[in-house]
Amino acid sequence: MVKRINAANGALEVAEISLGCMRIADLSPQEADVHIHSALEAGIDFFDHADIYAAGKAEEVFGDVLAASPGMRDQLMIQTKCGIRNGFFDFSKEHIVNSVENSLKRLKTDYVDVLLLHRPDTLMEPEEVAEAFDQLESRGLVKHFGVSNQNPLQIELLKKNVKQPLLFNQLQLSVMVTGMIDSGINVNMTNSGSVVHDGGILEYSRLHDMTIQPWSPFQYGFFEGVFLGNEKFPELNEVINRLAAEKGVADTAIAIAWLLRHPAKMQPIVGTTNTKRLLDIAKASDITLSRQEWYEIYRAAGNVLP
C-alpha cells in the first residue's frame, strides 16, 4: 500500500505517488475504470490532469469513470493544470477561471482539490492570478493551489499578490535528469554540474514547504526516451536491476524509490496506463534505499562526485 506524506508542513496529506492521467484517453472506458480502481486499491488516490491532455479528452474519460461510480469522488484527490494554449501561455484571470470551469465539466465534479499553473507565462500579472485564485476559492471550485515548472523568484513574484499557499511545484526530475540535485553537490566548483539552472528550487522547496512533483520519472533528456532497459545506459541498468533483484521488485520501483528516498518528500507523477506496471511501481513505497545505494545509482547515471 502506497504510503502518505504531509504537504504544506502537515496541512494536507497525500499519497506519495500520483497517477498522471495524460494518456488515459488511450484506454477504453472499461480499461480506464479498471486502471483507476486498481490505483485506488494500491493507495494511489491522487490523480494529475491538465486541460491540454488529449485536448481535454483525458479529463472526460476520467469524468466518465467518476460518474459511473457514485461515492468515488470522496475517495480521491484530483489535480489539474492550466495556462498552456495553442502557441502561447496564458495566466490571465479570464483564462484561468474559464479553464477550471471547463475542466470541472469534463471531470464531472464540482471542484478540484489542486490547481497548478502549467509552465511560466512571462506576461503574467500577479494581480490577475490573485483575482482568479480568490474567485475560484470563494466559489468552492478549487481547494488548493500550486505551480508547475517555476523557479523560486517566479514563485515569489506570485506570492506578492496571491494569498493562498502554493503547495506544489511540478518539475522534471528523474535518475537521469538531476540538475536541481547536481548544483547542490557541485558547490564552489566550475564544472557543468555546478551551474544552477533553476535558482536553487530544491532547497527553496524544502525551506518553503512546497512539495515537488517529479514528472517523467523514467525519462532521460526532454522526452528523448526511457532509461530503464535502454542499452545506452548499461551501468545504470546493471545497478538498478541488481537492486531490484535483491529487493524483489521491478526496476521501475527502484527508479521511483530513488526519488522517494530524498528528504524533500517528493510526490512522483507516474503516467503509465499499464495496470500491472502501475502496481509494480507502487511497491516503491515499501522500499527505503540506503544512502550508499542512493549514491550508487546517482553515480551509475554518469555523475561524478567532487
Side-chain angles (χ1 to χ4, degrees):
M1 181 68 71
V2 169
K3 295 185 180 74
R4 307 187 72 76
I5 57 173
N6 289 321
N9 198 25
L12 186 67
E13 187 181 76
V14 298
E16 67 176 355
I17 298 174
S18 169
L19 180 60
C21 298
M22 184 169 69
R23 300 181 182 87
I24 202 169
D26 297 333
L27 301 178
S28 69
Q30 182 179 7
E31 290 170 336
D33 186 85
V34 169
H35 197 56
I36 293 168
H37 277 89
S38 296
L40 287 171
E41 290 171 7
I44 300 175
D45 61 359
F46 195 104
F47 298 86
D48 176 66
H49 289 269
D51 56 355
I52 63 166
Y53 290 167
K57 180 67 175 176
E59 290 180 330
E60 289 180 2
V61 170
F62 194 91
D64 289 341
V65 173
L66 276 185
S69 304
M72 178 188 278
R73 181 65 185 93
D74 296 333
Q75 302 172 27
L76 52 82
M77 301 186 73
I78 298 175
Q79 170 176 279
T80 196
K81 302 183 287 294
C82 69
I84 298 179
R85 304 188 69 175
N86 187 18
F88 64 105
F89 303 124
D90 189 351
F91 284 0
S92 66
K93 175 184 176 181
E94 180 182 16
H95 178 68
I96 292 172
V97 173
N98 287 344
S99 176
V100 170
E101 290 174 342
N102 290 329
S103 286
L104 293 177
K105 290 175 185 176
R106 291 190 292 266
L107 289 163
K108 296 180 174 60
T109 184
D110 296 328
Y111 67 95
V112 292
D113 297 276
V114 183
L115 173 69
L116 304 186
L117 297 177
H118 203 176
R119 293 240 170 241
D121 173 16
T122 193
L123 302 182
M124 174 191 75
E125 295 286 359
E127 298 87 349
E128 275 199 73
V129 175
E131 290 176 8
F133 282 11
D134 286 347
Q135 182 182 141
L136 292 169
E137 183 180 53
S138 66
R139 293 170 61 191
L141 305 185
V142 178
K143 290 188 174 182
H144 306 284
F145 298 85
V147 297
S148 180
N149 305 296
Q150 295 205 18
N151 66 35
L153 287 181
Q154 290 170 326
I155 296 168
E156 286 298 311
L157 179 59
L158 272 173
K159 286 182 176 180
K160 180 181 178 183
N161 294 91
V162 171
K163 68 182 182 183
Q164 293 82 4
L166 300 175
L167 305 186
F168 300 93
N169 192 1
Q170 200 167 114
L171 298 158
Q172 185 177 16
L173 179 65
S174 74
V175 171
M176 287 299 300
V177 181
T178 54
M180 70 177 73
I181 293 173
D182 302 339
S183 60
I185 289 177
N186 293 274
V187 175
N188 198 35
M189 300 183 70
T190 58
N191 59 347
S192 60
S194 69
V195 178
V196 180
H197 291 281
D198 50 36
I201 191 63
L202 177 58
E203 292 77 15
Y204 176 90
S205 300
R206 296 182 70 181
L207 284 168
H208 293 272
D209 299 312
M210 289 188 76
T211 298
I212 292 175
Q213 297 178 330
W215 56 264
S216 290
F218 305 114
Q219 293 273 335
Y220 68 96
F222 190 71
F223 295 111
E224 292 181 41
V226 298
F227 57 82
L228 294 175
N230 191 323
E231 61 183 13
K232 291 182 178 180
F233 311 106
E235 183 181 356
L236 175 60
N237 279 284
E238 188 279 325
V239 171
I240 288 177
N241 290 338
R242 188 190 78 241
L243 291 172
E246 290 175 359
K247 300 176 188 301
V249 297
D251 55 357
T252 50
I254 297 297
I256 296 300
W258 187 84
L259 294 169
L260 296 178
R261 174 62 178 83
H262 199 282
K265 298 188 183 305
M266 303 176 190
Q267 184 193 36
I269 309 289
V270 299
T272 182
T273 54
N274 182 309
T275 300
K276 181 184 181 304
R277 183 177 172 88
L278 178 64
L279 298 180
D280 285 341
I281 291 170
K283 293 178 182 177
S285 197
D286 298 324
I287 300 168
T288 300
L289 296 176
S290 69
R291 186 178 254 99
Q292 182 177 349
E293 289 169 337
W294 190 95
Y295 275 104
E296 183 180 15
I297 292 172
Y298 181 71
R299 287 186 291 107
N303 298 294
V304 178
L305 298 181

